[in-house]
Amino acid sequence: MEVIGRRITDLWFTECQTENMKLDLRISNILLNKDTEYQHIVVADTEEYGRIMVLDGAIQITERDEFCYHEMMAHVAMCSHPEPSRVLIVGGGDGGILREVVKYDILDTVTLVDIDKEVIQASRDFFPGVSCGLDHPKAEILPMDAMEFIINHENQFDVIIVDSTDPVDFAAGLFQSSFYSDVFKSLKNQGLLVAQTESPFAESRLMKQAYLEMKKTFKDVYLCWGAMPTYPTGMWTYTIGGKNLNPKTSLRTPPTGLKYYSEAIHKHCFTLPAFLQEIIEQYNA
Ligand code: AG3
């Protein structure tokens, strides 16, 4: 049989990003495909974005673009807090944000609380470049429900980073005011909450929910944004709640060797394109 310019095996992974939009990636190998106690996890190698981790059908990490997301989630807060020595990461079991947070000498301890220990293990097994911070001496890893953890830790953290999946099933509560109010109590007097808040195009309903729910407790809520190629629409938002602290000004030089975040990005990520500014003004009205 002569096969020219055509593959005999044509394997694809599809994420149904919305009811009307899909992302297809050609797969070269499937490394893990199983149900955990909480969700379905897939690890596969793709031609375009390298290795990917998928939870319940939604891409969480690709080797090629994870830095865009992890750097924004970690460094905007770490650089704008005057003394970010105690940090809590909610979710984020893959360790990507933790890898960024441990780059700061000023850090004392970082606690990562993820409900699913199998995500932590999958990252250790298949994503050494992402999970490499998990064994850092300043890191404490707790496989448990963060909503339970947080109510027993009042007034403890300088920065809390919520690296959730899309807010469905067990993660839905992470976009609700009762959780944000527990986070508020868990922050020290000057503190910052950063949460991933989806795409303003594909999921503006969720972005709005996070913003308005956060506003019920945090007087000051700030929206910033960045590129994230493999997440729905490629434009991603991050919402920051400030407890007597404004995150817009960066106070320290970021670690060297970053691939996305910089002082200039910090300055500009709070500048919203007009359509987004308009949406936020409507929320505030
Ligand atoms: N957590 C946010 C992923 C959201 C992606 N949504 C989607 N693909 N529909 C990422 C975890 C990385 N540490």
Side-chain angles (χ1 to χ4, degrees):
M1 181 173 74
E2 202 188 357
V3 179
I4 302 164
R6 181 168 77 80
R7 291 164 204 240
I8 303 174
T9 316
D10 208 17
L11 256 186
W12 291 80
F13 162 77
T14 301
E15 174 173 341
C16 295
Q17 297 185 323
T18 70
E19 254 174 53
N20 305 308
M21 180 169 61
K22 292 177 175 180
L23 172 67
D24 280 350
L25 296 175
R26 193 193 295 279
I27 298 282
S28 56
N29 197 10
I30 298 172
L31 300 130
L32 185 69
N33 183 12
K34 68 180 289 199
D35 283 318
T36 74
E37 196 183 330
Y38 299 97
Q39 53 206 337
H40 188 84
I41 178 165
V42 169
V43 175
D45 285 330
T46 71
E47 302 286 354
E48 192 65 35
Y49 280 97
R51 191 161 287 179
I52 64 173
M53 185 193 284
V54 181
L55 296 178
D56 283 344
I59 293 178
Q60 305 296 312
I61 315 177
T62 87
E63 264 175 350
R64 199 170 145 206
D65 70 356
E66 55 84 11
F67 68 92
C68 304
Y69 175 86
H70 289 137
E71 291 188 14
M72 283 299 287
M73 287 285 278
H75 299 299
V76 175
M78 293 302 287
C79 285
S80 55
H81 191 287
E83 211 184 326
S85 62
R86 284 215 67 192
V87 175
L88 171 68
I89 299 169
V90 171
D94 52 75
I97 292 176
L98 190 128
R99 175 195 67 201
E100 298 305 314
V101 166
V102 296
K103 291 178 177 168
Y104 292 83
D105 290 338
I106 200 166
L107 179 80
D108 195 11
T109 55
V110 49
T111 302
L112 183 151
V113 184
D114 195 299
I115 202 165
D116 196 343
K117 59 178 184 315
E118 298 203 52
V119 170
I120 303 172
Q121 194 54 46
S123 190
R124 285 189 190 278
D125 292 345
F126 298 108
F127 295 87
V130 178
S131 61
C132 51
L134 290 170
D135 293 317
H136 193 278
K138 292 181 181 176
E140 174 189 32
I141 313 299
L142 303 175
M144 66 176 287
D145 186 346
M147 297 206 232
E148 267 170 42
F149 173 88
I150 214 160
I151 46 178
N152 298 316
H153 289 79
E154 281 194 21
N155 198 24
Q156 303 255 327
F157 298 101
D158 301 298
V159 171
I160 297 181
I161 303 174
V162 183
D163 184 11
S164 65
T165 48
D166 299 333
V168 281
D169 296 333
F170 61 87
L174 300 177
F175 271 56
Q176 284 165 8
S177 64
S178 56
F179 173 67
Y180 294 137
S181 124
D182 292 338
V183 167
F184 188 85
K185 290 186 202 135
S186 193
L187 284 169
K188 292 192 206 155
N189 176 39
Q190 280 200 311
L192 291 175
L193 155 67
V194 185
Q196 74 86 1
T197 47
E198 308 282 324
S199 157
F201 285 103
E203 287 293 1
S204 66
R205 183 181 51 85
L206 293 174
M207 188 185 82
K208 175 178 184 177
Q209 179 186 332
Y211 189 91
L212 293 178
E213 294 286 285
M214 216 182 270
K215 258 216 127 132
K216 290 183 185 165
T217 317
F218 288 81
K219 193 166 71 285
D220 301 309
V221 177
Y222 308 83
L223 190 78
C224 61
W225 66 284
M228 187 51 203
T230 54
Y231 288 175
T233 77
M235 179 180 193
W236 212 246
T237 64
Y238 308 91
T239 304
I240 305 186
K243 187 171 180 180
N244 307 318
L245 194 62
N246 180 336
K248 286 191 177 177
T249 316
S250 79
L251 303 173
R252 63 178 55 77
T253 313
T256 53
L258 300 184
K259 291 187 283 186
Y260 188 96
Y261 176 89
S262 63
E263 281 172 271
I265 289 282
H266 193 123
K267 198 160 159 215
H268 294 293
C269 69
F270 291 97
T271 305
L272 304 180
F275 84 94
L276 201 44
Q277 183 61 41
E278 213 171 284
I279 293 178
I280 293 300
E281 276 160 21
Q282 283 165 11
Y283 298 168
N284 286 332

